């Protein structure tokens, strides 16, 4: 049914908007569509349509829609709300999602929201807010169902039946001591197949993965991926008290952001960048990246400038020099991308980086020799000049080896220095392959043609 | 506990391997570590260590480890096994995971595996294999638990208790007709809170998301992400019979591969590329990409070649020309990356591509003017020549607008032509920004200096 869901909704919506049928749009947004779909429509709309759509979302649905929006867009909408609207919107939202949103708000608004909550919720929210957004503590929710180990499965069944509803994404409840220390996990599936006479202590799983509240969110994502978890208990790093739980829906967001982060950063974009951000905001953000890359370009130009006299003598050098720089850039970015992905997956450590460097050097040398021959022959045929073929061939080999070195070592070194390799890596790599490329090609030419 | 899990295991393992303590390594691999962790260790190891480790994994654990490996690596190991070993390894593996692995095997081995199974499993496996790997049908598992609508919750409870174990990732069982037509979803959580006297018909959810077997896997991932699903029923596109179910653990793999696909493709890498592939294999794969990019580079050189005479006259042009090409390349790849990500998230459709093009043109013009002024002034000061400043400024504006056009239109057009924008986009983009950059800069210079 749902394959072309969003597309057709987008079209229906656009038609209704254009025809001015706002009542129909309102019904679509508040009755027919789920909050996640509304959020997707908002993210897929240019600013003007977006504010019209948002104004048509009923206040009681705003909170649910907000939690599915990217940070960038959440911030835009939240910043336009006053404290009262905010409190109303957040009324039915999970603690962890409220915490997520509050992290982007001025503290006066945060205080207002906290004041509006009952004491238990406030304490829970304050606890979640006390952890950084990108740790297990910031990701957790506090809607755990807990039982004691010394009751029977039948008692658990009766206890659960007293609930109107079990929180979504609950595949297990947690077993805790009288003092709330975490003891084990009791999967719902286990409850259902166990003899009701048995004690919780006998059927619970004490070997389950527990997550310390200070674990970085990317590590949490790896644990969920590797151990096929739906939910996992979060415990205090020291006391081992049960603090809350993390559910796969929030982890999926981390996995997607994590995986997108590298690609977006390599282009100098924020991973949470709003696709439909207004022109002026986009211009400013992009300008910064262009400025940084301009420095790289000027450094490359300065290198070329050293060899002005040689170029004047042999203009073919100017014609061919971009080939040397470009082949180095491509080869380097292949190594760089592979290592950055390996780092993101937790595969590349210091202990195996040496093997990778060695492999990349072999690959760089082999491809260097292969393409040196191809490009060298092409250059000789083009300019009817053997010297230029030898010079460009040698420069290609040198630059592809430099590219292998830089592409492998840069991400490892940058990570060790706590600099994001995806963000800084490609700029520095280009600088290196440009400089080495122009320097070796024009430098060798200067020697050969002198 | 688990934050530094993999790292320390990798280190422990490496130490034990180096010390030749193979018994200790074997115990680690088969007793202490979970299959997913063993798979991660294998993926983080160079070829030689990898085969030693693999040989130490006990046969009964091989299947479980295999299913966590990337396709590239799975294929390597599977191709070394004979039919008998294969059958033994796959004995305790889920149907969907077996199907995944078989898709990479020669059909003689597939036949052998099918022959070894009992009839029910064979039929199920054949059904999963009948769908392409990247559809809901290829992703589904057949381990569903089904009930009829006209029984009581209490009967369901007693029926479930007859199971030794409920399959992992079961958050709901499915309600089907006598003829196996899908009727509704019965969440375990609902079973637990409902009055046992009630009928399944009264408590089941008939509004739940169902997935047609021919839905592409990326669409399945979007449904899971947007609707926070743990599992979902897969139905036949026509008959609406229940075929199986998809669980979030398999979807998470799709989400990660999907998100990584763009980044890897943009660097001409396969998204399933083995980080520790041997040098020769890597060299071959990379050579193809370098060759394609060499064509781009030669086209750019040919453009420069047209203006040899002008460069001979004004060598400063050779010094500055990489700046024009590079700024265009950076600006274009920012637009390209943003649109490709938007496409992957399902945000960019034909209906809103026009707005994006318009926005990018404004951004390109504004950044073009800004950096034209900066670069123009820098060029005038450097070469004490006003003309060169004007020429490079104009070329920057032209190239940044061309970059905006190409960066936005390319992915939209390529997608419409069913060509992967992430793979082809960056090569074509670079060709355009190089050609336009050199052409406008050197062309204008030829006019001005004539």
């Amino acid at each position: 049914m749902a394959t072309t869901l969003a597309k057709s909704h987008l079209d229906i919506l656009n038609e209704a908007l254009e025809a001015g049928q706002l009542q129909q749009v309102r019904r679509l947004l508040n009755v027919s569509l789920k909050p996640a779909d509304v959020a997707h429509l908002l993210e897929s709309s240019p600013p003007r349509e977006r504010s019209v759509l948002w104004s048509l979302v009923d206040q009681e649905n705003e909170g649910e829609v907000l939690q599915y929006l990217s940070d960038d867009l959440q911030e835009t909408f939240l910043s336009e709300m006053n404290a009262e609207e905010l409190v109303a919107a957040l009324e039915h939202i999970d603690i962890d999602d409220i915490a997520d949103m509050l992290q982007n708000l001025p503290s006066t608004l945060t205080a207002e929201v906290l004041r509006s909550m009952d004491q238990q919720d406030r304490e829970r929210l304050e606890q979640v807010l006390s952890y950084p957004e990108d740790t297990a503590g910031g990701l957790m929710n506090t809607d755990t169902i807990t039982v004691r180990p010394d009751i029977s499965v039948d008692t658990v069944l009766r206890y659960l039946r007293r609930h109107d509803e079990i929180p979504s994404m609950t595949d297990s409840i947690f077993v805790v001591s009288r003092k709330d220390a975490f003891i084990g996990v009791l999967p719902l599936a286990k409850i259902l197949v166990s003899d009701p006479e048995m004690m919780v202590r006998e059927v619970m799983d004490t070997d389950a993965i527990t997550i310390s509240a200070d674990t970085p969110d990317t590590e949490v994502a790896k644990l969920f991926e590797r151990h096929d978890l739906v939910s996992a208990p979060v415990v205090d790093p020291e006391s081992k008290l049960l603090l809350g739980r993390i559910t796969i829906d929030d982890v999926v967001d981390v996995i997607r952001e994590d995986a997108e982060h590298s690609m977006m950063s390599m282009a100098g974009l924020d991973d949470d960048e709003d696709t439909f951000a207004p022109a002026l905001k986009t211009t400013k953000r992009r300008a910064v990246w262009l400025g940084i890359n301009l420095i790289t370009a000027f450094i490359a130009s300065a290198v070329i400038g050293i060899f002005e006299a040689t170029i004047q003598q042999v203009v073919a050098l100017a014609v061919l020099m971009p080939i040397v720089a470009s082949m180095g850039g491509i080869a380097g970015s292949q190594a760089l991308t592979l290592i950055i992905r390996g780092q993101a997956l937790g595969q590349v450590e210091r202990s195996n980086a040496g093997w990778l460097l060695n492999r990349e050097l072999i690959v760089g040398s082999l491809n260097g020799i292969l393409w040196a021959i191809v490009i060298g022959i092409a250059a000789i045929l083009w300019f009817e000049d053997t010297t230029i073929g030898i010079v460009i061939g040698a420069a290609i080999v040198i630059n592809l080896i430099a590219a292998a070195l830089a592409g492998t070592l840069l991400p490892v070194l940058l990570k060790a220095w706590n600099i994001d390799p995806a963000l800084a890596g490609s700029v520095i790599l280009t600088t290196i392959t440009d400089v080495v490329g122009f320097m070796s090609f024009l430098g060798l030419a200067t020697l050969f043609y002198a």
Side-chain angles (χ1 to χ4, degrees), chain A residues 371-389:
Chain A
W371 293 109
I373 294 170
V374 174
I375 297 168
I377 292 175
I380 292 171
L381 295 176
W382 187 354
F383 293 100
E384 294 171 354
D385 174 0
T386 318
T387 311
I388 209 163

Side-chain angles (χ1 to χ4, degrees), chain A residues 335 338-339 353-365 404 408:
Chain A
L338 193 77
I339 307 281
W355 187 90
L356 283 171
L357 179 62
N358 194 36
R359 199 263 318 264
E360 290 298 332
L361 285 175
I362 297 173
V363 173
S365 308
T408 317

Side-chain angles (χ1 to χ4, degrees), chain A residues 4 24 35 50 58 110 122 140 148 160-161 169 191 231 244 280 286 310 319-320 348 350 363 365 376 383 392 395 407:
Chain A
T4 52
Q24 201 193 322
R50 191 179 269 171
D58 291 344
T110 311
R122 181 165 56 238
M140 74 182 175
R148 296 281 157 73
L160 289 175
R161 213 164 285 148
M169 299 277 152
I191 298 176
S231 72
L280 217 61
R286 304 262 182 97
T310 313
V319 176
L320 292 175
V348 178
R350 266 159 180 262
V363 173
S365 308
F383 293 100
I392 200 169

Side-chain angles (χ1 to χ4, degrees), chain A residues 63 66-72 74-75 78 86 90 93-106 110 113 124-141 217 247 249-251 253-254 257 272:
Chain A
L66 274 172
Q67 62 177 310
Y68 287 101
L69 291 172
S70 67
D71 279 4
D72 208 358
Q74 235 174 46
E75 217 180 309
L78 286 173
L86 195 62
L90 298 182
I93 309 302
D94 284 350
I95 296 286
D96 60 332
D97 295 314
I98 295 182
D100 262 5
M101 294 189 222
L102 292 187
Q103 251 129 355
N104 300 321
L105 283 185
T110 311
V113 173
R124 287 175 167 179
L125 180 57
E126 275 168 343
Q127 185 166 47
V128 177
L129 281 172
S130 73
Y131 293 99
E133 198 180 359
D134 57 353
T135 62
L139 211 59
M140 74 182 175
N141 202 349
D217 59 358
T247 52
D249 54 328
D250 294 317
V251 174
D253 295 339
V254 174
E257 278 166 26
D272 208 51

Side-chain angles (χ1 to χ4, degrees), chain A residues 321 324-325 395 399 432-442:
Chain A
M321 66 185 190
V324 182
N399 206 20
I432 292 173
T433 52
D434 278 1
V435 168
V436 173
F438 292 134
M439 189 74 90
S440 58
F441 181 52
L442 299 175

Side-chain angles (χ1 to χ4, degrees), chain A residues 215-227:
Chain A
T215 310
D217 59 358
T218 51
E219 289 299 324
V220 173
K222 276 175 206 151
L223 287 173
F224 268 73
E225 271 191 272
R226 258 182 240 158
H227 302 285

